[in-house]
Structure formats: structure tokens, C-alpha cells
Amino acid sequence: MPFFVVDIALPLPLRRTFDYLPLDGESREHYRPGQRVRVEFGRQLLTGIVLGCKDDSEVPRNKLKPLLERLDDEPLINEDSLSLCRWLADYYHHSMGEVLEHMIPTMLRRGCDLSEADERVWIKNDHHPVVKLRGSKQQALWRLFEEEQDEWPHTELTGLGFTLAQLRSLMEAGLIREEQKLPLPVVVTELQESHTLNAQQQDALKTLSDKTDEFCPALLEGVTGSGKTEVYLRLIENALQQGKQALVLVPEIGLTPQTVRRFQARFDVPVALLHSGLNDRERLQGWRQCREGGARILIGTRSAVFTPLPDLGLIILDEEHDGSFKQQDGLRYSARDFALVRAKQANVPILLGSATPSLETLNNALTGKYLHVKLTRRAGNARAPGMKLHSILHQPLTAGFAQPVLNKMYDHLHNHKQVLVFINRRGFAPLLACRDCGWMAECRHCDARLTLHHYPPHLHCHHCDFQQGIPAICPQCGSEQVEGIGQGTEKIQDELQQLFPDFPVRRVDRDTVRTKAAFDDLYNDIHDGGPCVLVGTQMLAKGHHFPDVTMVVILDADAGLFSSDFRGMEHSAQLICQVAGRAGRAEAPGEVWIQTLYADHPQLNLLLDSGYHALALSMLQERQAQQLPPYSHMALLRAECEERHLAQQLLQQARAYMQQWLQNQHAGQKASPVNLLGPFPAIMERRNGHFRFQLQMYAGERRALHRLAYVLTRYLENEKSLRKVRWHLDIDPLDCL
Ligand code: ADP
Ligand code: ZN
Ligand code: ZN
């Protein structure tokens, strides 16, 4: 047999692949890209993915090791997925083996078989006798098969209160049979009618349905409640009718049961869900349901973008500006940008929706790269909330609120409405300080203050999770005058409860709502329950529909206005709009009060007077003047180390290397195609015991940036003297803090 080696991607950070000898007696035909193999690497056993075969290796033949086992006959992932992985590895300058890990559910990465996703299911027999069932439970059970669906996962039925004995009796009557197979996601049968689209929605739908069988990126820019989701549903309906699958990506926090139910209740097709709350087996099931075509709609968060969908016909990405679409560790990919690449490869339309599009996407829409469709009015009877800046400069505050704001809150509560108070600080107070000497409680591991919590009482670092007890006296001067300064959600809840003793004041933050289930309970309570005040963080801001909230108070908008990150204002404006969008969703009109020390802040005023779009246009002009993204492309090299000088030194060395390389490449040219800035310390220089530095790279042209990033990553990877420092390259970073 002619000599050959198998080229294998291994889940290691190294940006290269590895050659192994084939199994004895196996020929090239046995090895196909996308199969899994087991190999020995050093002393580890790893599962790798075959990329192809090669005639020879750069490694001397006597050094080559044979692989240990071939796990698949058929490739687990197809050529299309592999080429997407190659794109990811190239674009993010990441190891192919680690990229591939994103494509494959954990259980398969560990070497499990696809059949591990199988479950006990009960299936209606096609030819079944006509029998008269006696027990009412048996009758109810049989009705499920007759009226709802032919196939039920065992766990689903026991979850509905049916017993194995009841199932057996149906089986003995010849009505159903039992099998081990991949269950289908449950299909909801009580379908909901769709709304009659209003004129704007109809126009949008017409424009968007024009091109359904080719790559066509589009932005649907529509204010909160303008009926974007209705438009998504119509487009999905079209795709389903053509026998296609639809992929719907939503932000982490937006994947609520209400969202899911809304999609399920419109179509009688199996809908798969993929999100971080699933266990490994459930993930494998969802993945297979999509890959084998059983699921026709997939709704998921960021990582769902990697799921194989053989009949993909449409991608929808809701709240496209949301930060959770960017992964912040390991492979730092943007699910939005990758979804665009995927749509292009599959040659299908992709719709990005948002009330407050990111400047990148907006710019693509304005320059005609994307279709641009707008919904400017709320759908149905809901009216847009009125927004008002309330100056607190030189104003006395009660519990952090201005008196006119409290009066308004009282009016709304008395009208049996709900009031939402937004503050982006958990805990009781953002810091604990001594009145006598000015000492402040600081984190031992970070350049950060500890947050004071009362429920339960402790000090907590929100950056590294360090916790300790509350000192009774000042450790510096012994004074007893140690107290919390400023306000967090806990304190506001306490104080508002005293101000409004007749109404419940509820807190919604990561401390009160630890699980999805807890949130759902709370949500149902709020949904059904009369007047109350909700004090909450970001958690309250997104995706949820609280029909009785008619007033929103934003307490600390100022914090975001002067951020040192160039995207600070963009993110603040998005958050303000999102929080404001919670008011007056139903029939009752809403109002939004923003307390501020800077009531004449020009951008804040532009936002309130003319809306997000107008502000976005002005921010785009500023970005253009400063040649910041989206008018340039950016990468960030970050380094962190327990020893400060080593982190700094790595970046200095990287900078020197890049400068030299750029000089060699572009000798004689006046301007370098890539500008380097830094190294600077991160805003929080020390975090979790590590010193953090960064080097910024800007380029007018993507290609120049990527060529440089390529040589840089290879240089750093091979430079043995730098091994003590952790570094990573972030392409298109979302923040530079
Ligand atoms: P968005 O996704 O833009 O926030 P939704 O699609 O959720 O907006 O619509 C907001 C509310 O308006 C929902 O309760 C929805 O059922 C309702 N709605 C949407 N379109 C219409 C319509 N054409 N007629 C009546 N109500 C509508
Ligand atoms: Zn003191
Ligand atoms: Zn800390």
C-alpha cells in the first residue's frame, strides 16, 4: 500500500495540525475529512478530527506515531462545516482544533456515539385495532397520540403524569409501540393566529421576501414593540413552506419562555432549543435533531450558530447589537459576523433585527451593503413612551430620588400600575468606607473596591468573586464609623419599601434570580400581580414584556456617559432605549424619567429629542473623523501575568516585532497600513491577581491587519521566553477596557 499520513486537528491551542500514521491495513479511502479519531499526544489521549491525507510528512517517518482508533465511518461534520471552521481559524487566528470543538457537542468530543442521544419513545401504530379503553387516564393518554402527535418521548409523558403501567396497557392493546430513538422536539398544537400586519410591517415583509434563495443580508431597524418579531415569524413561515429550516439567534438574556412559546405557538413543526442551560445529553439531542432535519426551527443563543442545518433557508439574529453575541474567552468570535459568513456560504438570506443597531451594522445598511428596512411606529395600540431628563444638580434627593420623580411614581402605583427602577449596580452599596480616615474596602486580588451586600451580609468583589466578612471597625484607624457609600439595588429596595409601604418593592438582579426557573416564577408573579415597584439591573432590561409597567426610572445613566471606551456612549444609548422600551408596551402609555447631573449633555439630549437613529448618525460622524471602527478595523493584543513587568514586556516585544515586520514589508511607503497603540495597562490593571496590559492595532484595510496578525500569532506562539505570560489576540474587540 502506498505510504500516506493522516492530517489531524487536535484540541490544542497550537495553530497547526498533526500527522499520524493510519491504522494497519487501512487505505486512504478509509479516511475522510470530518471523521473523529483517537490519538496519543505526549501522554494525553485526544479526540481529533481528520482533515485529509497527505503523501508525506515533514516529520521523519520513524518519529511518526500511528493513530489509535478511528471513531467514525461516515464523517461527523461535512465539508461545508469544515470550510466554515477554516474561515474561523483564519479570521480569528485561532487553532483549528479548538475551533472544531465548537462544532461538535461535548459528548461526541469525548468519543461517545451518536446513538447516546437516543431515548425511549412511544409511537402510535399505523394500523391499530379499534379498542374501547376503560380507564379515563388511558383514554387521555391515547388522545394525546390521536390528537396531538404520533410520537412521544417517554420522559415527556411521565412529566405529564402518565405511568409506565398506563403506557404498557396501550401497548398491549396494540395501539402504540416502544422504540429507542432520537426524540423529536415537542410540537405545540394550540396554534396562535398571526396578526394582520400593519402597513409598515407589510412593506418590510415585501422587501425582505423578495430574495429568499440567495445570500441577502438585511437590517430590520424597528423601535421596541414595532412588531419585528411578527415580521420574523412571517419570513420563517415562508421558509418552512419551501421545506427549509430556520435558524433564530437571540441574546443570552432574551431566550425567555415567552419568546420560545411565541415561536412554537405559530408553527406546527418541531422547534429545537439550544442554550447554556442544557446538559450535555440535551445538547447532543438538539444538535442531532437539527443535523438530521427533524427540527425545522432552531432557536438558540450564541453557540447555536455552529449547529449543522442541512436545509438551512433563513437566519434571523435578534437584538444584533447585543454584547452576548461576542464570546469573551477562548475563540473570541462574533456570532453575528459568523452568522453572516454562514448565510453567505449557504446562500440564504440573513436578517439582523434591532431597535438600536450597532454602528457597524448601521453603517453597512447605510452604505447599501445590507438591505435596510425600518419600522418606526409601535404595532397595535401601544404608544411610544415619553422620555424626560430630570436634572438632579443641586436638588435634594430622598433615597437617591428627586421629589418630583417620587411623586410621579406614587401616581402610577395609585393607578394600579407598575414602576420599574433601573440601576446597574447589584448589592447594597458600591463601597464600604471609614468616615474618620477615608479607608475603603478593596479587593485583595483586583484594583477594585468591594461591594457591600446586606442579604446576606458580606463584602463581595464583582470582578473576581472574592468574598469576606464586614469589618466592625476600620482596620486602619479603629473607628466604628464604617459604612456603605452610594446605592445598589438592595439599598434602593429597602428605602423605597419604607417610602411606599403599601406596595411591594421587588428586586430583580443576579442575587435574587439565580436560575432561569426563578426568573420565570418572578416573571409570572409580576405579570399577574397588581401595582408594585421593580428594582433591577440589566436583567430587567431585555426582551421581557411587562404589560403593566407604565413608568421607568433610570437612576444612574451618568455612569455610562463618560466611559473611557470609545463605544461607551453607543452602549449607554442602547441600554437606555432598551430599558425605556419596557414602559407602555400594552395599551397604557408609558413615561421614562432619567435622573442626571448633566441635563444638558448634548448626546443625551439628541437621544431623547430625536431618537437613537439620529444619535447613531452623529456618533458615526465622530467615528469617521477619528478613524475608529467601523471606519477602521481593530485588533487587540492582551497580555496578563502575575508579574507586572512580564506582561508589559511581552507587549513591548510584540510591538517591536510588528514594527520591524511592517518596515520590511512596506519599506518606502510613507504611512504604515497598521497603526500600533500601546502597550497600556487595562482600565482595571490588576484583576484576580493578574496584571493586564493591551496593545491596540488599527488598520484601514482588513487584509493588512490580518497579515500582521498572522505573523504575530506565529511569532508569539514560538517564542519560548514568553511562556509565563498569558496572551490572546481579540479580533474586532467589543471593548478596550
Ligand atoms: P418587537 O419584536 O419589535 O419588539 P413585537 O413583534 O414583539 O415587536 O410586537 C409588539 C407587540 O405588538 C406584541 O404584543 C405583538 O403581538 C403586537 N403586534 C405586532 N404586530 C401587530 C399587528 N400588526 N397588529 C396588532 N398587534 C401587533
Ligand atoms: Zn478609619
Ligand atoms: Zn477581585
Side-chain angles (χ1 to χ4, degrees), residues 434-439 474-479 481-482:
C434 169
R435 284 222 172 243
D436 286 326
C437 75
W439 168 87
C474 170
Q476 192 164 282
C477 76
S479 157
Q481 302 280 327
V482 177

Side-chain angles (χ1 to χ4, degrees), residues 4 73 248 283 391 409 414 451 466 523 569 684 689 706 735:
F4 71 98
D73 287 328
V248 181
R283 288 191 156 270
S391 172
M409 288 170 70
H414 260 257
T451 301
F466 170 75
Y523 175 85
M569 189 62 213
M684 189 187 300
H706 279 281
D735 59 58

